[in-house]
Amino acid sequence: MDTVSLTINGKQIVTEKWKKILWAALDNGIFIPHLCAIEQRPLPFAACRLCFVEIEGRDEPVTSCTEEVSDGMVVYTRTESVLRLVRMGFEMIMSRHPVICKDCPANKNCALQEIAQQMGFKLKPKRLLQILPELPVDDSHPLFTYNPNLCVLCGQCIYVCNEVLKKEVLDFNFRGFMTRVGTFQDRPLADYGCDSCLKCVEVCPVGALSIK
Ligand code: FES
């Protein structure tokens, strides 16, 4: 196995060549916030903009889910500019996400709660107005519920449904502010050939897809 040696926050790490910084850090107990990353995905989606780090010698922070490790690399995960970017990214996500933890099926098993706790962020954004979606919940499937109001658009369910399992039930519908996960023509899940593998529920990092 080809390996490289780098330091993250002063900790020396030996890891596989070609690995992305995010996974090298997580494998070594260094938390970097992330919602959309999937290690096996050949082209990272890089949509959540939470996984920024600074690399010595670079002018700007980079997303750690897209950047490969290299020998002698020096990485920092909590510099002032990293924290500024991550905080803003998190606040933007939370400006569209209702904070209803007690009633949420992912309570205590939620990536947003973990990020807030690890980074010392508040779940309710301080600087941004919350404009919450009020979309209909899809309760048509006998085994699981999809609540688009809790979705963070990480794309994990779409990736596993389409690219891994080749089922092509889920995709992004609409554009911009209106973007949401759904079926073709936004039909109810029960009417769209979902075979109940429940992998989408497994990978959802929040409470948008949940078992009944
Ligand atoms: S984990 Fe890197 S952008 Fe989402």
Side-chain angles (χ1 to χ4, degrees):
M1 179 175 70
D2 280 342
T3 58
V4 297
S5 169
L6 69 155
T7 66
I8 306 182
N9 299 345
K11 180 176 179 177
Q12 181 119 26
I13 280 168
V14 176
T15 187
E16 287 161 61
K17 219 174 172 179
W18 318 126
K19 214 173 187 60
K20 302 290 193 288
I21 296 170
L22 174 65
W23 305 109
L26 294 173
D27 289 350
N28 285 278
I30 298 168
F31 181 78
I32 297 177
H34 60 286
L35 286 174
C36 69
I38 299 171
E39 190 167 12
Q40 296 73 23
R41 191 173 186 153
L43 282 179
F45 187 38
C48 73
R49 318 308 286 170
L50 293 179
C51 68
F52 283 106
V53 295
E54 263 191 277
I55 299 173
E56 214 165 81
R58 302 276 187 94
D59 293 341
E60 307 264 327
V62 298
T63 46
S64 61
C65 68
T66 57
E67 199 73 26
E68 270 170 23
V69 293
S70 64
D71 218 23
M73 189 180 240
V74 179
V75 179
Y76 299 98
T77 67
R78 300 280 172 108
T79 64
E80 208 178 299
S81 39
V82 164
L83 288 175
R84 201 169 44 238
L85 283 169
V86 178
R87 186 184 295 276
M88 180 47 77
F90 189 69
E91 287 199 21
M92 284 174 75
I93 290 166
M94 296 313 294
S95 72
R96 295 281 290 158
H97 188 89
V99 181
I100 50 157
C101 300
K102 279 194 193 131
D103 298 318
C104 175
N107 191 21
K108 298 194 164 62
N109 189 26
C110 167
L112 298 171
Q113 286 177 329
E114 187 186 14
I115 293 168
Q117 195 235 324
Q118 293 264 7
M119 304 300 289
F121 296 163
K122 294 266 181 269
L123 283 168
K124 279 212 171 133
K126 274 198 197 148
R127 295 171 296 178
L128 302 179
L129 191 65
Q130 269 197 311
I131 303 176
L132 300 175
E134 292 180 12
L135 298 165
V137 173
D138 186 342
D139 210 18
S140 65
H141 197 282
L143 298 182
F144 67 96
T145 301
Y146 172 53
N147 183 348
N149 302 303
L150 297 177
C151 178
V152 289
L153 301 177
C154 68
Q156 299 224 32
C157 55
I158 295 173
Y159 178 74
V160 79
C161 184
N162 294 351
E163 305 297 324
V164 180
L165 302 168
K166 311 284 179 206
K167 299 189 177 177
E168 303 190 344
V169 173
L170 297 172
D171 211 334
F172 286 116
N173 285 346
F174 308 99
R175 287 174 182 228
F177 208 57
M178 303 300 290
T179 305
R180 58 183 186 257
V181 172
T183 62
F184 182 62
Q185 293 183 330
D186 226 19
R187 295 199 335 242
L189 278 158
D191 299 349
Y192 203 75
C194 166
D195 66 0
S196 314
C197 74
L198 301 179
K199 291 290 178 202
C200 59
V201 181
E202 241 171 67
V203 298
C204 180
V206 294
L209 285 154
S210 60
I211 298 285
K212 283 188 175 171

